[in-house]
């Protein structure tokens, strides 16, 4: 049975407003975690996070000064199996929009090596996480913040519908063959994502409205909608959406357009 979770969703008028709310969420989570010594943050790729990254790196915005960059360890939730200079690379996108512009020490940036054989890359990333989190035995990592996106097919990270990685319960990182894209991906597993202290979806665009409704209001079919596997152990899941992506969610009475959904 899936774990019950409270989804706290916030609907922002535009993609720009959504990116700003996400930059604030990133900043707040980093500041809070840094009081414990280090902020370990796992980010997504795709296109949606780009504007948030640009806001975080923009000296004219408040975030660049507020984020404790020297206390951050940065990880990815997934990567495409391409070299880091490839246009498809999540690392490249993040480097261009954020890393090349902020004072985050390179040794604290842990990219997935998409250029390697997927099995090898996944195993190496699992040991990178084990070493940097100083895990022992069967211990698994607790990220301070996991930022997720959602594909219009209901996938998140590289957990695609009807793929092997959906059944993975013991590894931290796995290679995942995605026949529907005729490609391989490297991805964190969903039990590890669910262990995150804060887990948040950032979703934009009318093209996502139906899948958002299916994932959060539809029947529980995680093989078809893998984003339904995201049920954090904390019992809370944050959702930042623009109005277009939230078009098929219950209208919130609240003026600041926040609402909650109880997933049972
Ligand atoms: C990736 C991502 C993936 C992404 C969704 C949404 O590597 O593609 O990590 O899970 O979050 O595909 O992508 P968009 O933001 O481009 O819609």
């Amino acid at each position: 049975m899936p774990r019950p979770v409270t989804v706290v969703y916030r609907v922002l008028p535009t993609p720009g407003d959504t990116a700003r709310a996400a930059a604030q969420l990133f900043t707040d989570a980093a500041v809070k975690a840094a009081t414990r010594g280090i902020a370990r943050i796992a980010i997504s790729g795709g296109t949606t996070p780009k504007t948030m990254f640009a806001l975080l790196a923009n000296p004219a915005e408040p975030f660049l000064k507020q984020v404790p960059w020297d206390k951050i360890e940065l990880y990815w939730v997934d990567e495409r199996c391409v070299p880091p200079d490839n246009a498809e690379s999540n690392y490249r996108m993040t480097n261009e929009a954020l890393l090349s512009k902020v004072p985050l020490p390179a040794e604290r940036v842990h990219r997935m090596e998409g250029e390697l054989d997927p099995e090898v890359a996944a195993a190496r990333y699992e040991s990178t996480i084990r070493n940097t989190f100083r895990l022992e035995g069967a211990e698994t990592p607790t990220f301070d913040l996991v930022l997720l996106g959602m594909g219009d097919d209901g996938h998140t990270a590289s957990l695609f519908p009807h793929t092997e990685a959906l059944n993975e319960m013991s590894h931290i990182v796995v290679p995942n063959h995605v026949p529907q894209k005729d490609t391989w991906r490297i991805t964190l597993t969903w039990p590890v994502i669910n262990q995150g202290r804060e887990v948040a979806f950032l979703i934009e665009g009318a093209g996502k409205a139906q899948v958002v409704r299916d994932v959060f209001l539809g029947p529980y079919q995680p093989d078809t909608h893998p984003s339904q596997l995201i049920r954090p152990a904390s019992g809370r899941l944050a959702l930042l959406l623009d109005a277009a992506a939230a078009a098929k969610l219950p209208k919130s009475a609240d003026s600041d357009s926040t609402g909650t959904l109880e997933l049972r």
Side-chain angles (χ1 to χ4, degrees):
M1 271 305 287
R3 171 190 292 130
V5 76
T6 300
V7 177
V8 180
Y9 66 93
R10 186 161 172 224
V11 181
L12 289 304
T14 68
D17 300 319
T18 315
R20 186 170 295 285
Q24 194 61 59
L25 182 145
F26 181 104
T27 304
D28 297 346
V31 168
K32 197 163 102 189
T35 60
R36 288 189 294 268
I38 197 86
R40 295 188 176 101
I41 299 179
I43 56 175
S44 278
T47 52
T48 307
K50 233 184 246 178
T51 314
M52 172 188 72
F53 293 154
L55 286 169
L56 289 169
N58 181 345
E61 296 284 347
F63 312 110
L64 184 60
K65 296 184 200 59
Q66 291 170 353
V67 172
W69 297 104
D70 62 334
K71 293 266 179 6
I72 288 186
E73 296 257 5
L74 194 70
Y75 303 81
W76 276 260
V77 300
D78 73 330
E79 183 58 283
R80 292 91 182 268
C81 291
V82 294
D85 58 357
N86 184 290
E88 284 296 304
S89 163
N90 286 339
Y91 169 77
R92 176 175 158 180
M93 180 275 281
T94 312
N95 188 42
E96 289 171 355
L98 178 71
L99 302 176
S100 57
K101 301 173 180 158
V102 299
L104 178 53
E107 66 275 12
R108 293 263 178 91
V109 175
H110 307 291
R111 78 175 178 87
M112 291 179 172
E113 297 161 303
E115 68 275 22
L116 301 180
D117 168 85
E119 291 281 348
V120 175
R124 285 168 60 92
Y125 205 65
E126 177 143 338
S127 56
T128 296
I129 290 175
R130 288 193 170 284
N131 297 338
T132 52
F133 278 75
R134 297 188 181 75
L135 300 177
E136 287 174 20
E139 278 181 340
T140 49
T142 298
F143 289 95
D144 295 294
L145 175 64
V146 182
L147 270 176
L148 299 170
M150 188 185 293
D152 54 15
D153 61 355
H155 84 264
T156 189
S158 278
L159 301 166
F160 283 83
H162 314 294
T163 58
E164 273 305 303
L166 303 186
N167 311 314
E168 179 60 49
M169 305 292 287
S170 58
H171 282 92
I172 297 173
V173 189
V174 290
N176 193 26
H177 185 243
V178 185
Q180 50 267 57
K181 285 183 175 289
D182 186 24
T183 189
W184 281 86
R185 293 282 190 98
I186 307 154
T187 187
L188 292 185
T189 56
W190 58 270
V192 164
I193 292 172
N194 281 337
Q195 203 167 300
R197 275 199 183 85
E198 283 190 64
V199 181
F201 278 104
L202 172 60
I203 308 172
E204 293 168 5
K208 305 271 176 79
Q210 186 58 50
V211 75
V212 165
R213 182 179 177 76
D214 296 343
V215 165
F216 294 110
L217 298 175
Y220 187 69
Q221 302 166 313
D223 211 41
T224 306
H225 296 126
S227 291
Q228 291 182 322
L229 293 165
I230 307 306
R231 301 268 181 124
S234 67
R236 263 177 82 83
L237 176 59
L239 192 49
L240 289 176
L241 321 104
D242 69 348
K248 298 188 178 178
L249 284 183
K251 292 285 168 283
S252 151
D254 301 0
S255 57
D256 64 357
S257 298
T258 59
T260 60
L261 295 168
E262 299 300 333
L263 303 187
R264 293 282 150 243

